[in-house]
Amino acid sequence: MRAIRGLWRWRHNALRRTTDLVEAWMALAALLLILVAAPLVGTLIGSVAQDALQESVREQRQSRHLVEATVVKKADSTPLDTDPETSSARDSRSRVLANWTGPDGTAHHGTVMAALKSPHAGDQFTVWTDDHGRIMGRPLDTATATTHAVLAGFGAAALCAGLVEGGRRLLVWRMVRRRYARWDQEWSQAGPDWGRTGTGS
């Protein structure tokens, strides 16, 4: 709105400089770009991210399998869990030595995290594995993928708006510097006698 008021105010003003009009037009162009281009960029990036993430969800669902594992014994200590989705539930998980059979029929033995508060030998729990029985993380779900895509879209829109506004401010800064340089040049041409009675006579 400031850009529109600025354009209207400088329209027929006798004190209007060309740079004032250019600044007002740049502000209006930046406003239009922020209102039109930023949402378009955000929608485009969000849509691309959504397609890619949903494809990843489909691939993970096809390549990861939930299998039954049996506790052999509780492991000595629980290491720091870096997965943000599981770290909140760390209190209900235990590190155990377990046996499980992969989807391809191969037997496996190793240390895994079990969703058991106090595991005992023989307890059963489920783990996610790949086609060959190697332990994998839980597959990405559709809702989480959509949330990430929406956040990517919002981030892209905000970045676009920031770049437009940053570009406008940079151009205005350069114009102001050029204006100050011209003023300095004009002041130096006026000479040290400017304003004295009889100057130029």
Side-chain angles (χ1 to χ4, degrees):
M1 295 308 294
R2 226 172 38 180
I4 295 169
R5 283 199 306 264
L7 280 172
W8 189 259
R9 186 180 63 218
W10 289 115
R11 203 165 46 108
H12 299 297
N13 194 320
L15 297 176
R16 182 199 73 200
R17 297 168 296 199
T18 305
T19 55
D20 295 326
L21 198 56
V22 170
E23 282 182 38
W25 276 111
M26 281 195 315
L28 180 61
L31 176 67
L32 291 175
L33 280 173
I34 288 171
L35 292 177
V36 175
L40 284 175
V41 168
T43 302
L44 179 66
I45 296 297
S47 176
V48 169
Q50 173 76 343
D51 292 343
L53 288 168
Q54 292 303 330
E55 180 62 28
S56 180
V57 167
R58 285 189 290 276
E59 287 176 3
Q60 288 184 14
R61 283 184 178 168
Q62 289 175 355
S63 64
R64 298 185 186 185
H65 311 280
L66 202 57
V67 299
E68 288 280 330
T70 305
V71 175
V72 175
K73 68 174 185 174
K74 186 173 181 178
D76 294 336
S77 62
T78 303
L80 179 63
D81 193 357
T82 57
D83 185 357
E85 292 185 2
T86 60
S87 61
S88 60
R90 191 178 298 128
D91 292 340
S92 63
R93 296 174 63 85
S94 303
R95 193 164 175 249
V96 298
L97 287 171
N99 294 324
W100 67 94
T101 303
D104 60 353
T106 56
H108 295 271
H109 176 82
T111 304
V112 295
M113 294 299 292
L116 302 169
K117 211 168 204 179
S118 55
H120 302 293
D123 288 348
Q124 294 199 331
F125 61 98
T126 55
V127 291
W128 287 98
T129 69
D130 65 5
D131 293 332
H132 304 291
R134 290 186 293 261
I135 297 293
M136 303 293 287
R138 181 173 60 86
L140 185 65
D141 62 272
T142 306
T144 304
T146 301
T147 301
H148 289 316
V150 168
L151 290 174
F154 276 122
L159 180 63
C160 179
L163 287 174
V164 168
E165 179 60 15
R168 184 194 71 82
R169 286 176 183 256
L170 179 63
L171 289 172
V172 169
W173 175 75
R174 291 190 62 159
M175 287 172 61
V176 168
R177 283 193 52 159
R178 196 174 300 137
R179 185 185 304 154
Y180 286 159
R182 280 199 306 262
W183 284 352
D184 288 342
Q185 186 180 9
E186 289 170 8
W187 276 109
S188 66
Q189 288 174 357
D193 293 334
W194 181 86
R196 291 187 184 172
T197 305
T199 300
S201 57

